[in-house]
Amino acid sequence: MRVIEASEFKARCLAILDEVGRTGESVVISKHGRPVAELVRPRRQRKGRFPQDALRGTGRTLGDIIAPALPSDAWEATRERRS
């Protein structure tokens, strides 16, 4: 892990990004000797995938998914009005 000052990062940003992408070595960016950020290569992701794909196959269907959740007389809109 390499430590560089923010001013050097600002001046060489694109070259440093390329270097981190190529080598995988992280770079700590500091201001006045205090670390403020860390630049790391992202984890490898498969193209065309969605984060929700990680949940594929983890759900279960319980009961009838077509039938109403409540009987029709439980709905206020279907009840008879009293005058």
Side-chain angles (χ1 to χ4, degrees), residues 6-68:
S7 57
E8 180 185 352
F9 178 74
K10 182 178 177 183
R12 300 186 49 231
C13 177
L14 295 178
I16 294 169
L17 289 173
D18 290 339
E19 183 180 325
V20 169
R22 188 179 66 254
T23 65
E25 181 185 6
S26 62
V27 174
V28 173
I29 303 161
S30 65
K31 287 179 91 173
H32 307 292
R34 297 176 62 204
V36 294
E38 184 176 2
L39 181 62
V40 296
R41 182 168 56 182
R43 289 175 282 182
R44 200 166 225 3
Q45 294 180 349
R46 296 181 188 162
K47 291 185 179 182
R49 304 259 316 186
F50 298 99
Q52 296 86 348
D53 287 341
L55 299 174
R56 187 179 305 278
T58 61
R60 293 183 301 158
T61 303
L62 302 175
D64 187 353
I65 61 171
I66 305 296

